[in-house]
Amino acid sequence: MVSQQDIQKLPIDIHYNKLLDWLVDRRHCNRQWQAAALVVREKINAAIQDMPEVQEITQLLQGTYINYFHCIRIVELLKVSEANTKDIFGRYSSQRMKDWQEVVRLYEKDNVNLAEGAQLLTRNVNYEIPAVKRQIAKCKQTQEECVKKEADFTSQARIEREGFKASCKELGIVGKNIRSELLALLKQLPGIHQKLAEETKSLQPAIDFYTAFVQFLLSSSGDDAKADVSMVSMLRYLTSHGNTTVYQWRTGEVPTVVVEPGLPGGGEPAATEEPQITWEDSGDAAGGDGEISWGDEGAEGQEEEGGEIDWGGMDTGGAEDGGIDWGGDGELDITVEGSGADQSQNGAGAVADSRVAMGTDALSLFDHKETRDQVINELRELSGFLAQRLVEMEGENNVLAEIFQSALLCFVFLFSQTACLGPRLGTVHNSNEIHF
């Protein structure tokens, strides 16, 4: 047979939502347990005002709802920290221990702790646990997104790094100090510009052909006023003079002094000290009170007499008429003696005669943006012209050659052949040699 003790140990299945009602219906808890719980909360609020410096107790009291189980743990910790207040009868004289023991006693009276525990269980199952699950799912999703973004960013960083290395290799720099390395590349520009200027000389036949072609068309149309025209003037200048300064191209004169502008970003100029006036503390320079001494020649007396200037017995003559008597017939003879004036005039003349190229005038034609753009535009213009002539002359009906046979000069006619146009055009059109 099953004993009564074994029967009491049998579990009872109670739905968590109905646990509190079951405790009240079975009279394990009082229906007014919430009023008793309020008294317990007041006791707890009073007891936490005086607590020992124990780390675990501090953690229990920070940001949490103190329930019966917390109170049991606090009493156990106080038994250790307040052990020196225990008397021979096993009682504690510490007020802290008495307060928390009173809290535990009130919790166990009428099983208030059971009712509060059932309420906490229902709240945790219905609200807290689902909220925690949602938070965990959200955190996992965020973690997965972060891992995916990390992989994407790592791949993008690798691609950008490879692109950066390729760009540095294309520019011919290492990429450690980009600013200084790019500025160092500027030292290579003069050699490159000189090479380009030398290669431009090979375009002289193409320029002559282009000019002759345009002049022939204008003269054949009867417009003699426009027949004398010079095409691609910048390229023609480069073939004859090279990469000169803008000043020489603009004025036609070689400058005697070229003041080259500094490199962009080459560093800030050194700070120059501004001249300062030193006021020595001497009695001759100023008066004792810091005022300028104008001399004691009776200036104060003059101010009192009406503010007039005492000329020291000089004959003012026509001063009353408002004029100044220069002591003559009104004609002045001013003679400048000494060689200082002559030297100044000679220096001014030398400066006027000197041809100084400053600012953009000191730049070369390839360095200056406007002239460089003009060179590029004229190269494109000449390239387009040669490409068009080549297409026309490669056709079945070579009308252009028939016109040139009787109208143009011999060198223009020879140059108009496809065998001569092809090498001039070069990269524009790769053609076969076709002779007339």
Side-chain angles (χ1 to χ4, degrees), residues 71-84:
C71 296
I72 293 296
R73 182 57 183 167
I74 290 174
V75 170
E76 292 177 358
L77 295 175
L78 289 177
K79 288 180 180 179
V80 178
S81 62
E82 306 295 330
N84 55 353

Side-chain angles (χ1 to χ4, degrees), residues 274-299:
E274 297 181 356
Q276 298 180 356
I277 301 175
T278 303
W279 301 96
E280 296 183 357
D281 189 10
S282 60
D284 297 336
D289 52 355
E291 297 180 355
I292 300 176
S293 176
W294 299 100
D296 50 355
E297 301 269 339

Side-chain angles (χ1 to χ4, degrees), residues 170-171 184-200 238 243 364 366-367 372:
E170 182 180 356
L171 293 174
L185 292 178
L186 296 178
K187 299 178 181 178
Q188 303 176 7
L189 287 180
I192 298 174
H193 292 168
Q194 185 64 27
K195 183 179 179 181
L196 291 175
E198 293 295 331
E199 293 178 353
T200 308
L238 284 173
N243 186 27
S364 66
F366 287 143
D367 285 332
R372 183 173 65 248

Side-chain angles (χ1 to χ4, degrees), residues 198-218:
E198 293 295 331
E199 293 178 353
T200 308
K201 295 180 179 179
S202 62
L203 298 176
Q204 187 62 45
I207 296 173
D208 294 340
F209 173 58
Y210 183 29
T211 304
F213 181 85
V214 175
Q215 290 176 353
F216 170 73
L217 292 181
L218 294 177

Side-chain angles (χ1 to χ4, degrees), residues 155-166:
S155 176
Q156 186 67 23
R158 179 178 55 81
I159 296 174
E160 296 295 337
R161 192 180 299 108
E162 293 176 357
F164 173 75
K165 291 181 180 179

Side-chain angles (χ1 to χ4, degrees), residues 245-260 347-359 361-362:
T245 60
V246 177
Y247 179 87
Q248 182 177 350
W249 168 75
R250 185 173 54 83
T251 62
E253 298 179 352
V254 179
T256 57
V257 180
V258 178
V259 182
E260 297 182 355
V351 172
D353 294 339
S354 64
R355 296 179 292 274
V356 181
M358 301 177 62
D361 285 347

Side-chain angles (χ1 to χ4, degrees), residues 173-433:
I173 60 177
V174 180
K176 293 183 178 180
N177 192 346
I178 300 176
R179 180 185 179 86
S180 60
E181 292 174 4
L182 289 178
L183 291 177
L185 292 178
L186 296 178
K187 299 178 181 178
Q188 303 176 7
L189 287 180
I192 298 174
H193 292 168
Q194 185 64 27
K195 183 179 179 181
L196 291 175
E198 293 295 331
E199 293 178 353
T200 308
K201 295 180 179 179
S202 62
L203 298 176
Q204 187 62 45
I207 296 173
D208 294 340
F209 173 58
Y210 183 29
T211 304
F213 181 85
V214 175
Q215 290 176 353
F216 170 73
L217 292 181
L218 294 177
S219 61
S220 62
S221 63
D223 194 353
D224 296 335
K226 297 182 179 179
D228 188 11
V229 63
S230 178
M231 306 305 295
V232 289
S233 59
M234 180 61 73
L235 291 179
R236 187 180 295 277
Y237 179 85
L238 284 173
T239 56
S240 58
H241 297 83
N243 186 27
T244 63
T245 60
V246 177
Y247 179 87
Q248 182 177 350
W249 168 75
R250 185 173 54 83
T251 62
E253 298 179 352
V254 179
T256 57
V257 180
V258 178
V259 182
E260 297 182 355
L263 292 177
E268 297 180 358
T272 57
E273 296 183 0
E274 297 181 356
Q276 298 180 356
I277 301 175
T278 303
W279 301 96
E280 296 183 357
D281 189 10
S282 60
D284 297 336
D289 52 355
E291 297 180 355
I292 300 176
S293 176
W294 299 100
D296 50 355
E297 301 269 339
E300 297 179 357
Q302 294 173 2
E303 293 178 358
E304 293 177 358
E305 293 174 2
E308 298 179 355
I309 301 176
D310 184 10
W311 297 98
M314 295 176 58
D315 186 10
T316 57
E320 296 177 355
D321 300 332
I324 301 176
D325 184 8
W326 296 100
D329 297 335
E331 298 180 358
L332 297 178
D333 262 344
I334 301 177
T335 303
V336 180
E337 297 181 356
S339 59
D342 298 336
Q343 293 177 357
S344 300
Q345 293 176 358
N346 294 335
V351 172
D353 294 339
S354 64
R355 296 179 292 274
V356 181
M358 301 177 62
T360 56
D361 285 347
L363 298 175
S364 66
L365 297 177
F366 287 143
D367 285 332
H368 190 39
K369 183 179 183 303
E370 294 182 0
T371 54
R372 183 173 65 248
D373 292 343
Q374 184 176 351
V375 171
I376 295 173
N377 293 335
E378 292 183 0
L379 285 174
R380 292 175 177 173
E381 178 184 351
L382 184 62
S383 175
F385 168 76
L386 295 177
Q388 182 65 27
R389 300 288 80 74
L390 188 61
V391 171
E392 293 176 353
M393 300 176 68
E394 283 181 343
E396 296 179 356
N397 299 324
N398 196 343
V399 181
L400 182 63
E402 296 177 0
I403 297 175
F404 280 151
Q405 286 178 357
S406 59
L408 291 180
L409 298 176
C410 180
F411 79 96
V412 176
F413 176 74
L414 295 176
F415 188 82
S416 66
Q417 298 183 23
T418 309
C420 298
L421 279 179
R424 301 301 176 189
L425 191 55
T427 57
V428 179
H429 202 283
N430 188 9
S431 62
N432 297 323
E433 292 186 359

